[in-house]
Amino acid sequence: MKKIIPAFLVLVSMFAFLAFAPADAWKIGTKNNVTFSTSGVSGIFKALTGKIVFDEQNLATAIFDISIDVNSINTGNGMMNTHAKGDDWFESAKYPSIKFTSKKVEKTPTGYLATGSLQMHGITKEMSLPFTFTKNETGGIFEGTFSVKRNDFKIGEAGGEVGDEIKIKVTVPVTK
């Protein structure tokens, strides 16, 4: 009987560990990109880092904690890049990153929806970002397209040549 109790405790401990084991953590690949476009300007942010935990079978444990380096902006025009980082637009010295932190992830008919906080230019807004996840031989790819209004985040002057609604497309390859 004394040998059965320790074996039982080991077995219970193993099941408890499996029940509370973290969901699938993914490593963000280097070939990620965040493109943006609106009337008057388009480009890409080249540096995205963060933590992604995602298991299609256990969405309650999903975590998207993503940061985009504002200084990695590339519009294809050096002077425009410098201007975008400056005080009239992103103020990258004061606000060096754009961050998204999910609060919940849910399944939709076309993929998934991550709801959380989007922080840009010192302003935080709750956003719901649609995305898909496609597995491949090396891991997978998260992709999403959504829009933000730059005036909601006080980026640039209201009006002007650059449109308010910015279309953003995110592609993030991941591996285990």
Side-chain angles (χ1 to χ4, degrees):
M1 181 71 160
K2 289 182 182 181
K3 290 182 182 180
I4 294 175
I5 292 175
F8 177 72
L9 290 176
V10 168
L11 189 59
V12 168
S13 296
M14 285 175 45
F15 281 118
F17 173 76
L18 291 173
F20 295 104
D24 292 344
W26 297 92
K27 295 177 190 161
I28 296 173
T30 58
K31 302 236 185 252
N32 61 72
N33 68 59
V34 179
T35 60
F36 60 91
S37 63
T38 188
S39 60
V41 69
S42 63
I44 187 170
F45 288 99
K46 293 187 168 208
L48 178 143
T49 59
K51 176 181 180 180
I52 297 175
V53 176
F54 182 77
D55 177 353
E56 293 174 287
Q57 304 307 313
N58 192 3
L59 295 178
T61 62
I63 298 170
F64 290 88
D65 191 3
I66 305 297
S67 182
I68 299 168
D69 181 357
V70 171
N71 286 304
S72 73
I73 193 169
N74 186 345
T75 63
N77 179 312
M79 287 179 32
M80 194 179 289
N81 294 346
T82 301
H83 188 66
K85 296 174 200 177
D87 292 345
D88 291 337
W89 290 89
F90 280 102
E91 294 182 84
S92 67
K94 188 174 181 181
Y95 307 109
S97 58
I98 298 168
K99 297 181 180 180
F100 178 77
T101 305
S102 64
K103 294 178 183 170
K104 72 176 181 176
V105 175
E106 54 195 334
K107 182 85 173 111
T108 68
T110 58
Y112 300 93
L113 190 66
T115 301
S117 300
L118 178 64
Q119 182 183 50
M120 222 180 341
H121 202 239
I123 297 171
T124 302
K125 301 260 183 199
E126 183 160 302
M127 300 275 302
S128 293
L129 309 179
F131 69 95
T132 59
F133 177 68
T134 307
K135 288 184 180 177
N136 61 32
E137 62 279 352
T138 59
I141 298 175
F142 291 95
E143 294 182 289
T145 302
F146 57 95
S147 294
V148 297
K149 293 186 182 247
R150 67 177 176 81
N151 290 322
D152 287 351
F153 295 93
K154 301 194 183 334
I155 297 173
E157 295 179 11
E161 293 178 19
V162 177
D164 181 33
E165 189 160 319
I166 311 293
K167 183 177 178 184
I168 299 172
K169 182 172 183 187
V170 180
T171 303
V172 182
V174 292
T175 60
K176 288 287 185 182

